[in-house]
Structure formats: structure tokens, C-alpha cells
Amino acid sequence: MSLQLVMAQVILLTLGLIGVATASPEKILDHGVKALIALAATFLVARLRPRFFLKLAPYFWGFTLVLLVLTLFIGQGAAGSEGVKRWLEFGPIRFQPSELAKLGLVLQLASFFSRRGVQNKLISATGMIVFTTLLIILEPDLGTSVLTFGLGIILMYAAGVRITNISGFVLALGLLSLPFLNKYLETHPYILERFFGHVNREETAEVGLDQIGKAHRDLNFGGLWGQGPDGPRYSYFADDTDLIVATVGYSTGLLGVAMLFFAYWLIVATALQVSQLATRVRPMTPEIHGATILATGAMFMVVGQAFVNLAVAAGLFPVTGVPLPLVSYGFSSMLTMSLALGVIHSAMREVRRQLPAGEDSPDVVAVPAD
């Protein structure tokens, strides 16, 4: 297993515990138990080989699509979000299928490209990406759907599809979606309200202290070392979920935020290392090709979502409702992102297993081959 990837996950889960303890102390035990379960899930998935994921992919992806369809009919929304269906509830279990759908798309595209190659396969891959994204858009969940679509683009590029073909694909889809865009915005007016509220937030918010303004205040009060989890602060909406970075910054200061960025950088570095080591494997087998796609896709799942969340907290993007991976309170995102890290571990182990003798990488923890 990759030591730097384990370090990144532990850092993020620890910062999440501090953030939840600061914003909602009554949730700390629940969050801590779920963090341990998520960490255990990572270690279990890491023991599997990429060929398992590549074989399982069509069934798992299909299962997530069924869950997305069920969500449109029997799904639940957050309080005050009329017409929004994003959660499924089965007794005490409540989860967000769109989180699993992102992982399902990663597995399916990796399996598809590793088995079939990239030549003349753009239409089939496009259909997979569009169908998955469309089901999420209909919930509606614009933030997650944009991330899912972007994930598909990254996976196509990682698989070896030419950038010119990808650009043409994106342009064609953009033109085809224009006739439906106006109807979609009329049906879901909150999207434009959030956008224009974000653009004009300094004019409409009382002395600038809207949700984002309060988050910025927490970050400023945190200073260099932070105020600690028990520091006096004002609570505000989503301070333990979407805007938890501000809570982490308040309690741990600039040091904690820097550790947050460092952890996400470690995840990027590990996934890129998988691709780099794979170039030394000869011959390049479908399983190794699939492993590199899996690692890249799983990495973007985590870091891409982190980028959007942090951009919202910085005031660069409108509020999207996207949690901070492995840090925000909520089990659906935490578990899915932990599974994604397990996939990167698995890809790393497989690539190392196939390396020529004497070319092993020193910065990963040796694990016996299965």
C-alpha cells in the first residue's frame, strides 16, 4: 500500500473530526465511528486486484443506475428543498446514490477502455457518461452532475482518447443541450437564484456576512495556529458539511488548512505515480491499462470535488452543496471517497507487482501479493 496515500487519508479524516467537533460537538461520536468504518473499507478494497474491479464494473455501474432511477421516484430531499430528490432511505439507512454513481462510472469506463481500446469507441463511452450525468441532473443536482461529466472527460483523456475528439464531443453535447437549457432553468429556478445571488452577494447580504461571509470570518479568526475546537464562534448553515474548511481553519488555523491542501496533493501525486510506473511495464497489458485509468479516475473523484468545494468556500463559485471529501460530515461521500482511495491502492499494488525486478518504488509500503 502507498504510505503517502494512507497519510493523506488519515490527515483528512483527522481534520474532519476536528471540524465536526468544532461545529457540531454532538455529532463527533457518530462521525468518528463512520470515519473508522471508511478507513477499514479502504484497507479492504486495497486488498483486491484491479481485474476484480474491471470484471465487476458493468454490474456495479448498472446497479448505481438503478438506484438513480429509484431516486427520481421515491427519493427524498433536504428540508425546504421542494421537488429535489437526492437521497434514498431504507429503514435506518440513508444514502446518496449519485456518490456511488461516480465510482460506478469510473469502474465502467476503465473496464470498457481496457477491454475494447479507444479506437472508434467514442460514441459508446459518450453514451455512458451522458446517461449517468442525465440521471443526476434530473434529481436535480447540478453540482454533482457537472463533476460527473468532468470525471468522464478526464477518464477519456486518461484512457488515450485524443483531445481533439474530446473537444468535439463536448462542443456537440453543448450545442445539443441548448434547446433544453431554458426549460430546465425554468423548472428549477433556484439555480439562477443561487448564481445571481452569488454574483451580487456583496450588495444583497447584510454587511457581507452571508453564508460565505461568515465562513471567511471564521478563516480570518483562525489566524496561524487556530482557536481550538472549543473556541467561541458563531454557528452558520453548513459549517460541518459544505463549508467545513472554514470550521477547520477556525480551529486549526492556517496550519490546518495547509495540511488539508497537502493531503489532497499527496492523493494527486500517488495517482500520477501509478501512471508513471505503468510506463515501465512491458508489455502493457489490459489490466495495467485499466489500473492506470482507475487510479486517475479515483483521484479526480476526490480532488475534483475538493476543488469545487474549496472554490465555493473561497467565494469563487456559487453554493453547490458539494461536500469536502473525507472531511465533511456525512457518510455517503466519506465512504465512496474511501472506496476510491482503496482503488488507487489496488492500482498501485498491481503496477508494482508487474514492474521489472529492481525497479520497485521506495515510497510505498510493501504488501505481500495476493
Side-chain angles (χ1 to χ4, degrees):
M1 294 180 69
S2 170
L3 178 60
Q4 60 191 27
L5 196 58
V6 173
M7 186 187 307
Q9 186 174 11
V10 170
I11 290 172
L12 292 172
L13 291 175
T14 302
L15 290 174
L17 286 170
I18 295 173
V20 172
T22 304
S24 307
E26 70 280 2
K27 297 178 181 178
I28 185 62
L29 180 60
D30 177 60
H31 188 73
V33 170
K34 290 175 179 177
L36 290 176
I37 295 174
L39 189 62
T42 299
F43 279 80
L44 288 174
V45 170
R47 299 298 304 172
L48 303 173
R49 298 185 67 169
R51 68 179 63 170
F52 173 82
F53 302 119
L54 299 177
K55 290 180 180 179
L56 178 71
Y59 307 103
F60 184 75
W61 179 62
F63 174 68
T64 63
L65 294 182
V66 171
L67 292 179
L68 288 175
V69 173
L70 284 176
T71 303
L72 298 179
F73 292 96
I74 63 173
Q76 305 292 324
S81 301
E82 188 174 351
V84 176
K85 297 179 178 181
R86 298 178 184 173
W87 301 83
L88 282 180
E89 294 184 2
F90 297 103
I93 301 174
R94 187 172 190 262
F95 65 98
Q96 199 167 355
S98 58
E99 293 292 337
L100 282 177
K102 289 185 291 186
L103 182 59
L105 184 62
V106 170
L107 301 185
Q108 173 62 13
L109 288 178
S111 175
F112 177 78
F113 284 125
S114 64
R115 289 182 291 106
R116 308 285 294 276
V118 298
Q119 299 299 323
N120 303 317
K121 298 296 186 294
L122 187 61
I123 294 178
S124 299
T126 300
M128 298 173 191
I129 297 169
V130 171
F131 190 56
T132 306
T133 305
L134 181 62
L135 289 176
I136 299 174
I137 288 178
L138 293 176
E139 291 184 358
D141 190 344
L142 189 60
T144 303
S145 62
V146 170
L147 280 170
T148 304
F149 184 80
L151 178 61
I153 299 300
I154 294 295
L155 284 164
M156 291 171 70
Y157 182 74
V161 178
R162 293 180 179 178
I163 191 64
T164 52
N165 293 341
I166 296 175
S167 301
F169 150 67
V170 173
L171 179 61
L173 284 181
L175 293 175
L176 288 173
S177 65
L178 285 177
F180 306 98
L181 181 60
N182 186 57
K183 179 64 176 177
Y184 184 78
L185 293 177
E186 287 180 354
T187 307
H188 307 291
Y190 79 92
I191 296 174
L192 286 179
E193 291 174 4
R194 284 188 180 181
F195 175 77
F196 288 113
H198 170 74
V199 172
N200 304 314
R201 76 177 188 86
E202 293 297 337
E203 300 175 7
T204 57
E206 181 182 357
V207 297
L209 290 183
D210 58 349
Q211 185 179 345
I212 302 298
K214 293 175 182 177
H216 291 176
R217 179 188 60 192
D218 265 12
L219 285 170
N220 288 331
F221 284 170
L224 183 60
W225 306 108
Q227 302 292 330
D230 57 348
R233 58 182 293 273
Y234 297 100
S235 61
Y236 49 89
F237 180 72
D239 56 354
D240 61 352
T241 53
D242 302 353
L243 295 176
I244 195 170
V245 65
T247 310
V248 170
Y250 176 84
S251 57
T252 63
L254 180 61
L255 179 63
V257 176
M259 291 295 292
L260 187 81
F261 280 94
F262 174 66
Y264 288 125
W265 176 81
L266 286 178
I267 295 173
V268 174
T270 305
L272 294 180
Q273 186 183 36
V274 173
S275 298
Q276 181 185 25
L277 292 175
T279 61
R280 306 179 191 174
V281 178
R282 293 291 185 273
M284 173 70 77
T285 62
E287 186 175 3
I288 292 297
H289 185 213
T292 61
I293 302 173
L294 286 171
T296 303
M299 176 270 290
F300 184 80
M301 263 186 65
V302 179
V303 179
Q305 182 165 314
F307 172 79
V308 172
N309 176 278
L310 293 172
V312 169
L316 301 178
F317 290 174
V319 176
T320 59
V322 172
L324 187 60
L326 301 168
V327 181
S328 293
Y329 180 78
F331 193 48
S332 294
S333 176
M334 182 192 297
L335 180 61
T336 305
M337 296 303 170
S338 296
L339 295 177
L341 293 185
V343 170
I344 301 176
H345 279 297
S346 173
M348 174 66 81
R349 291 177 67 234
E350 185 62 31
V351 170
R352 291 181 64 242
R353 183 184 286 110
Q354 300 294 335
L355 280 175
E359 293 195 24
D360 206 355
S361 180
D363 57 342
V364 291
V365 178
V367 177
D370 295 333

